[in-house]
Amino acid sequence: MSREPMRSVTIKAPAKINLFLEVTGKRPDGYHDLATLFARISLSDDLTLRRTAKAGIELKVSGDPLPVKKEDNIVYKAAAAFFEAFGIKPAVEIKLVKKVPAGAGLGGGSSDAAAALKGLCRLYGVDAGRNRGKLGAVALALGSDVPFFLTEGAFSAGTGRGELLVPVRAKGRLPRIVLVYPGVPVPTGPVYRALRPSAPGEIAANLKKFQLLIRSLKSGRPLADWAPLLFNRLEEPVLPDHPAVMRARKYLIGAGAPAVLMSGSGASVFALTESRSDAAKISKILKKPDFKVFLVDFLLKS
Ligand code: C5P
């Protein structure tokens, strides 16, 4: 069943953090297989899409500047891929307000791309549920994190490149997040290229922790129980080469944060805290000229 088309749609593109990320192997296609736990957070970009009389894809970006040409923006690519996949003649204007830092391990661009696909479905009356397979393939071709942002739940366990997703329903009170972008982006490709293979026994032990972390969230265990299970293999190649990320991590630990981890391939580092007042205290200590500090929550509903 196709939905009634709309003239204009405004949609939020929330960022993510990874509470766990182990690299389980290198694939023949050059990508890496992962075991990761994605979590959507309350920091987002905004997209407004409008059908126009003029043919083509018009993209207007404001907010945090992006160092790319319009045609290289992932939102433009997502729109072009949507029109191609569904055989629709493009005639759209997309306004993107950037607030999520780029090169930050927060999936900002990936979320923008997924929001563009969702918004275009609404605009053209394409049923996203019935076209899940097609949209999923378009999303994965745009980037490994894009399929996660097509889903709606707060937490998802991801394997494969991160596109094989199982929703995780967390119970209980969730921690508050202090998120720090240390001011210098980290490009993803070189991080995976610098990664050394890990011992199979170590990976197996980490996968047990991954399952335990998922179970802890599902059963509503307090942060203190699952904080030791947070893990990101990509800290190994990133921290020695990126002093700004190392500094942000040290500051968060020094400020007394109980659980600190880099998100994705960096550059952002986050701390989870039991209370809002602890988070506020830590974020005050973190006020450094180069750092962008965000006090955010897990996003249970987008
Ligand atoms: O898929 P995406 O464009 O986000 O990936 C950026 C780069 O990160 C890829 O070119 C690849 O080098 C690396 N990558 C990987 N394995 C993944 C995800 C990303 O090797 N699962």
Side-chain angles (χ1 to χ4, degrees):
M1 187 186 63
S2 88
R3 300 242 169 84
E4 202 49 34
M6 300 164 85
R7 290 229 60 86
S8 143
V9 169
T10 296
I11 189 162
K12 279 201 181 301
K16 57 87 181 163
I17 55 174
N18 303 78
L19 298 182
F20 187 97
L21 197 163
E22 175 59 298
V23 178
T24 54
K26 187 150 187 212
R27 304 155 48 114
D29 63 6
Y31 284 89
H32 292 78
D33 276 320
L34 310 178
T36 189
L37 184 60
F38 290 109
R40 213 179 295 268
I41 58 170
S42 61
L43 168 69
S44 55
D45 292 337
D46 299 314
L47 269 89
T48 302
L49 302 96
R50 194 173 58 84
R51 287 177 72 154
T52 51
K54 195 170 144 231
I57 303 165
E58 187 68 45
L59 175 63
K60 293 179 177 166
V61 185
S62 60
D64 248 16
L66 287 176
V68 289
K69 288 204 309 272
K70 182 185 101 170
E71 289 76 9
D72 292 336
N73 189 304
I74 194 167
V75 170
Y76 185 92
K77 289 183 185 168
F82 172 89
F83 290 119
E84 171 78 29
F86 290 95
I88 300 170
K89 216 169 136 245
V92 71
E93 179 199 77
I94 306 177
K95 286 185 180 160
L96 166 64
V97 184
K98 276 306 290 176
K99 289 172 280 181
V100 179
L106 301 173
S110 304
S111 187
D112 294 342
L117 295 177
K118 286 182 189 175
L120 287 166
C121 282
R122 287 198 216 156
L123 217 51
Y124 287 89
V126 171
D127 189 316
R130 270 186 56 184
N131 290 285
R132 193 174 298 156
K134 202 169 183 179
L135 282 168
V138 169
L140 184 61
L142 290 163
S144 307
D145 288 346
V146 183
F148 164 67
F149 290 107
L150 280 184
T151 66
E152 296 295 336
F155 300 93
S156 280
T159 52
R161 280 170 57 191
E163 85 284 17
L164 304 173
L165 295 155
V166 177
V168 173
R169 264 177 215 282
K171 263 210 251 165
R173 202 164 61 91
L174 291 166
R176 179 94 159 141
I177 307 156
V178 184
L179 183 64
V180 182
Y181 172 65
V184 187
V186 174
T188 304
V191 171
Y192 279 98
R193 281 200 290 280
L195 184 72
R196 297 282 134 252
S198 317
E202 202 186 321
I203 295 174
N206 272 335
L207 291 181
K208 284 192 181 144
K209 287 189 188 170
F210 179 52
Q211 293 306 330
L212 191 54
L213 174 61
I214 291 169
R215 283 205 298 277
S216 305
L217 277 166
K218 279 182 171 175
S219 56
R221 311 292 307 168
L223 172 64
D225 285 10
W226 49 269
L229 304 172
L230 300 177
F231 176 78
N232 185 348
R233 175 66 70 187
L234 299 180
E235 286 187 340
E236 274 173 27
V238 172
L239 295 178
D241 278 356
H242 296 273
V245 183
M246 183 76 101
R247 252 180 83 224
R249 197 174 174 281
K250 276 193 179 150
Y251 275 128
L252 276 173
I253 294 169
V260 176
L261 196 71
M262 185 179 83
S263 182
S265 56
S268 299
V269 181
F270 63 86
L272 304 183
T273 67
E274 295 275 12
S275 73
R276 300 180 88 82
S277 60
D278 285 354
K281 262 185 240 152
I282 291 167
S283 76
K284 263 195 205 127
I285 300 173
L286 261 287
K287 287 235 158 25
K288 309 273 173 234
D290 318 335
F291 290 179
K292 272 190 184 163
V293 182
F294 305 93
L295 266 180
V296 293
D297 290 300
F298 290 108
L299 193 65
L300 295 175
K301 280 208 181 101
S302 337

